[in-house]
Amino acid sequence: SVAAGLESVVLGESQVLGQVRTAWERARDEGAAGSRLSGLFRHALEVGKRVRSETAIGRGVTSLSQAAVGLATDRLGTLEGRKLVLLGAGEMGEGMAADLAASTEASAGDGPDVVVASRTRQRAVKVAEKVGAEVVDIAQLPAALAVADVLLSSTGSPTVVLGPADLTPIMAARSARPLLIVDMGMPRDIDPAVRAVPGVTLLDLDHLQAFVEAGLDERRKEVGRVRSIVDEEVVRFQEAVAERQAAPLVTALRDRADDLRLAELARYRNRLEGLDARQHEAVAALTRSILAKLLHEPTVRLKESAGSARGERLAEAIQELFDL
């Protein structure tokens, strides 16, 4: 239940976002989401990107496997150049391998020297490929631990895999070199009694929970900034929607005015026959300039008030006055 609870905490956010995105895509494909709703979803995704780039709300763990890698990194300062044993090639082991690879890529460093140990070699090879690791048989685990700095364990074993009797001779031969173990097994892979073995530091799901909660506390500090960004974007979206609502009427008004301008130029064509091409263009430019200045204020007022009761009154008046 502890593991399930932690998984729900660290995955909840991404799952909800994924479900919302899926719902929108389905609604769009089935024609149930119109242009305004689709525009709202697109804007929301843009806001999410802005929030994550301008705040720390998205930093920290997003999966249980990432939390394990993050916890080990936090304790050691860095995993770069460390010798790391990944015990177990199930879903959790595969996730930790992927997170180790992603962490190495993000840091642009060399990353840890990883060894994958599992009872199922085929699965171990698949996991090892994710992080460029070496694969060893489970019988070779003691030799791998003899030179390791970190052990990340996540087997599906129903019983303890390593206990004091296994680690005591290994640690005795390491000349006081410490070994950090992160036990992700449920039930436990590592006997808690190994904490009594000199040089061993054992972290389990309780430590992981504290690590995740500390990360969530850091995220909560960013909530105020996130809300400010969201408020800004809500106003920007409303303004954009209002402007789009006014756009057809503004276009119709300008088209009507330009039609009248062109009609008048055509009516006076005979009187303008004595003008050369340059003079004709000057007259056309003059008429365009007069219309642009005349329509500027009505256009601004329509856009500023669009979406409000005042905007509706102005729109009705313009439609009535210009027969649009």
Side-chain angles (χ1 to χ4, degrees), residues 161-201:
V161 176
L162 291 173
D166 303 297
L167 288 177
T168 297
I170 292 174
M171 297 305 296
R174 287 166 58 97
S175 302
R177 184 181 174 191
L179 173 64
L180 175 66
I181 302 175
V182 181
D183 183 5
M184 302 291 293
M186 197 65 186
R188 297 175 186 271
D189 287 337
I190 314 299
D191 188 338
V194 302
R195 290 192 174 97
V197 178
V200 173
T201 298

Side-chain angles (χ1 to χ4, degrees), residues 39-87:
L40 175 61
F41 272 104
R42 283 193 296 271
H43 192 79
L45 293 176
E46 291 173 5
V47 175
K49 291 178 181 178
R50 181 187 169 191
V51 163
R52 289 178 178 274
S53 66
E54 295 183 16
T55 75
I57 195 72
R59 296 172 193 168
V61 298
T62 57
S63 70
L64 199 57
S65 59
Q66 190 179 21
V69 173
L71 180 58
T73 304
D74 184 66
R75 286 299 182 103
L76 295 179
T78 180
L79 295 182
E80 185 174 348
R82 305 281 188 174
K83 293 187 179 297
L84 187 148
V85 174
L86 195 56
L87 177 58

Side-chain angles (χ1 to χ4, degrees), residues 39-318:
L40 175 61
F41 272 104
R42 283 193 296 271
H43 192 79
L45 293 176
E46 291 173 5
V47 175
K49 291 178 181 178
R50 181 187 169 191
V51 163
R52 289 178 178 274
S53 66
E54 295 183 16
T55 75
I57 195 72
R59 296 172 193 168
V61 298
T62 57
S63 70
L64 199 57
S65 59
Q66 190 179 21
V69 173
L71 180 58
T73 304
D74 184 66
R75 286 299 182 103
L76 295 179
T78 180
L79 295 182
E80 185 174 348
R82 305 281 188 174
K83 293 187 179 297
L84 187 148
V85 174
L86 195 56
L87 177 58
E91 183 178 347
M92 186 65 69
E94 189 173 354
M96 287 192 287
D99 290 322
L100 284 167
S103 176
T104 300
E105 183 178 351
S107 66
D110 294 333
D113 181 10
V114 182
V115 170
V116 179
S118 173
R119 296 184 187 280
T120 309
R121 186 172 182 82
Q122 184 177 359
R123 294 176 69 177
V125 169
K126 179 182 177 182
V127 170
E129 288 175 350
K130 291 184 176 296
V131 70
E134 177 188 354
V135 176
V136 299
D137 295 329
I138 201 72
Q140 297 173 287
L141 180 60
L145 290 177
V147 295
D149 299 296
V150 186
L151 167 64
L152 301 181
S153 183
S154 61
T155 76
S157 174
T159 59
V160 167
V161 176
L162 291 173
D166 303 297
L167 288 177
T168 297
I170 292 174
M171 297 305 296
R174 287 166 58 97
S175 302
R177 184 181 174 191
L179 173 64
L180 175 66
I181 302 175
V182 181
D183 183 5
M184 302 291 293
M186 197 65 186
R188 297 175 186 271
D189 287 337
I190 314 299
D191 188 338
V194 302
R195 290 192 174 97
V197 178
V200 173
T201 298
L202 173 63
L203 307 178
D204 54 24
L205 289 174
D206 290 336
H207 296 89
L208 188 68
Q209 182 174 15
F211 180 73
V212 170
E213 288 176 350
L216 291 175
D217 286 341
E218 291 301 312
R219 287 190 178 194
R220 292 186 187 103
K221 295 177 183 178
E222 297 292 303
V223 169
R225 173 62 180 144
V226 169
R227 285 177 174 163
S228 295
I229 292 175
V230 171
D231 288 343
E232 291 174 13
E233 293 294 338
V234 166
V235 172
R236 190 163 74 89
F237 178 76
Q238 290 173 332
E239 290 175 347
V241 169
E243 187 170 331
R244 284 196 298 271
Q245 289 175 337
L249 182 56
V250 169
T251 300
L253 176 61
R254 289 180 175 275
D255 287 346
R256 172 59 59 85
D258 201 53
D259 288 343
L260 292 173
R261 181 185 71 84
L262 293 174
E264 288 301 299
L265 285 175
R267 193 161 69 90
Y268 281 87
R269 181 178 303 159
N270 292 335
R271 299 184 186 184
L272 300 175
E273 281 185 351
L275 302 180
D276 59 27
R278 182 177 179 183
Q279 290 169 329
H280 271 290
E281 178 55 34
V283 171
L286 176 63
T287 58
R288 286 195 297 267
S289 177
I290 291 171
L291 278 187
K293 290 181 178 179
L294 182 64
L295 296 178
H296 175 72
E297 286 302 324
T299 299
V300 171
R301 296 290 180 268
L302 278 172
K303 290 182 177 180
E304 287 179 345
S305 59
S308 66
R310 178 173 179 270
E312 292 178 3
R313 291 195 299 270
L314 288 176
E316 291 175 359
I318 288 178

